[in-house]
Amino acid sequence: MLLSLRIITPLFVLLAGVQAELITKNCKLISGSDSDKNALNLLEPLTNQNFTAEKPEDGYVYIFQVCGDAGGMKNAGLVQKDKKDGKLVRIGNYNQTRAIRGSDWVLLFYEGGDKYENHCSQEPRRAMIMISCSTSTKNAFSVVLEDNQKDQGCYYLFELDSNAVCPVIPSKLSAGSIILIIVFCCLAVYLTGGFLYQRLVVGAKGVEQFPNYAFWSEIGNLSADGCDFVCRSRGNREEAPTYRGVATEPLGEEQEERDDHLLPM
Ligand SMILES: *[C@@H]1O[C@H](CO)[C@@H](O)[C@H](O)[C@H]1NC(C)=O
Ligand SMILES: *[C@@H]1O[C@H](CO)[C@@H](O)[C@H](O)[C@H]1NC(C)=O
């Protein structure tokens, strides 16, 4: 138990240290719910990267960062860049984030972008990034659509394939087998340590090298005695004949009396 605590405690300290410097913490969640935080935490491996995508038919490049300034624009997680003049339009801010998590995907919302000029009742632009599990190591970012032909709820939709959001395959080891392994390790350490100690420090020879030999042989003798007492019947049989004449009669009666209870009424 002590051994496992010694291993596990530093692990927690290490995890807590890593937790403190998560880059996804730069994202400000509109709702501070735990499910949003958990979904966002999954995206940590995708931080500090520029993802770019363009639609061949229009002259824009889209730049996306997870909780970082896209295209160098402060607080913008997703920007649209005009390929001709390099003009930037803010599509969504990472200080106004929502994140929804499914079994093998995370849907990320960046709200509060630049306002539409003519469409969508001039509401702020908004980006939705669908991040789906893909087992290939390469992340693929692409534009899906821009939905701006309505009065409200317009959005830009993007897609990112990544292995960051793939479900984690649970460990095959159950708690029971882990405890067994720890017990075996302790036993092995005890035996080899004790053996070396007896041999090198105490200078024992033969079976005496076995750690705590006296104690264990005492245990062995005690359990042998116990077994002898419980299991061996010869000792009783030798004494039995002297009583047999007297003992059998009342015993038989008792037996019959007891049987009576079992008869159906
Ligand atoms: C992302 O792009 C910006 C400018 O567009 C650049 O300053 C920054 O170094 C890039 N970051 C990475 C990790 O490539
Ligand atoms: C987010 O950042 C933008 C741009 O810097 C700023 O205008 C806006 O007020 C910020 N919103 C929040 C909720 O912090």
Side-chain angles (χ1 to χ4, degrees):
M1 231 33 208
L2 204 68
L3 187 77
S4 59
L5 273 179
R6 278 202 191 135
I7 296 168
I8 287 164
T9 315
L11 256 176
F12 275 117
V13 172
L14 198 75
L15 280 176
V18 170
Q19 202 83 20
E21 47 199 78
L22 288 179
I23 289 174
T24 46
K25 285 261 172 355
N26 295 338
C27 276
K28 283 206 190 73
L29 289 166
I30 295 170
S31 110
S33 75
D34 280 344
S35 67
D36 278 35
K37 276 182 204 151
N38 291 340
L40 198 58
N41 283 346
L42 278 186
L43 306 182
E44 190 61 32
L46 300 174
T47 55
N48 275 328
Q49 291 176 61
N50 290 318
F51 298 104
T52 56
E54 56 188 287
K55 278 214 302 198
E57 58 268 30
D58 59 26
Y60 299 119
V61 182
Y62 295 89
I63 307 166
F64 165 53
Q65 274 214 27
V66 175
C67 306
D69 296 340
M73 195 184 243
K74 184 119 179 51
N75 285 329
L78 210 150
V79 295
Q80 179 193 60
K81 187 178 187 178
D82 195 317
K83 278 210 277 191
K84 277 174 278 160
D85 57 11
K87 193 171 153 274
L88 293 176
V89 174
R90 187 187 297 265
I91 307 292
N93 284 328
Y94 62 83
N95 65 2
Q96 285 165 270
T97 303
R98 281 193 289 151
I100 302 171
R101 175 186 179 179
S103 57
D104 62 349
W105 51 265
V106 169
L107 182 56
L108 188 68
F109 294 79
Y110 285 155
E111 311 267 356
D114 289 341
K115 292 194 165 96
Y116 285 99
E117 277 152 34
N118 309 311
H119 314 277
C120 305
S121 321
Q122 297 174 346
E123 67 176 2
R125 287 176 171 82
R126 147 190 317 125
M128 285 165 57
I129 305 107
M130 185 72 198
I131 303 160
S132 329
C133 164
S134 154
T135 44
S136 99
T137 47
K138 209 167 167 292
N139 299 318
F141 183 60
S142 59
V143 189
V144 180
L145 61 92
E146 179 188 357
D147 184 4
N148 61 5
Q149 300 304 314
K150 49 189 181 186
D151 285 344
Q152 271 182 331
C154 297
Y155 58 86
Y156 290 74
L157 180 62
F158 303 87
E159 217 172 38
L160 176 61
D161 290 339
S162 164
N163 60 10
V165 294
C166 291
V168 179
I169 295 142
S171 163
K172 295 268 163 61
L173 287 178
S174 68
S177 43
I178 290 170
I179 288 171
L180 263 180
I181 288 169
I182 291 173
V183 166
F184 272 115
C185 288
C186 293
L187 201 66
V189 168
Y190 168 72
L191 282 177
T192 39
F195 186 84
L196 288 175
Y197 178 80
Q198 292 291 332
R199 191 187 174 90
L200 302 176
V201 181
V202 181
K205 293 262 150 47
V207 281
E208 307 264 298
Q209 291 174 92
F210 198 74
N212 302 88
Y213 175 71
F215 171 74
W216 288 118
S217 54
E218 187 68 12
I219 291 263
N221 286 340
L222 280 175
S223 45
D225 284 350
C227 202
D228 206 34
F229 179 74
V230 172
C231 316
R232 214 184 283 280
S233 52
R234 202 190 300 142
N236 295 341
R237 227 181 270 151
E238 274 168 13
E239 286 170 43
T242 38
Y243 301 107
R244 190 167 282 162
V246 197
T248 33
E249 283 300 311
L251 247 179
E253 268 173 35
E254 259 176 42
Q255 207 84 31
E256 267 167 29
E257 266 170 38
R258 257 188 243 131
D259 283 348
D260 285 345
H261 297 289
L262 298 174
L263 282 172
M265 292 299 191

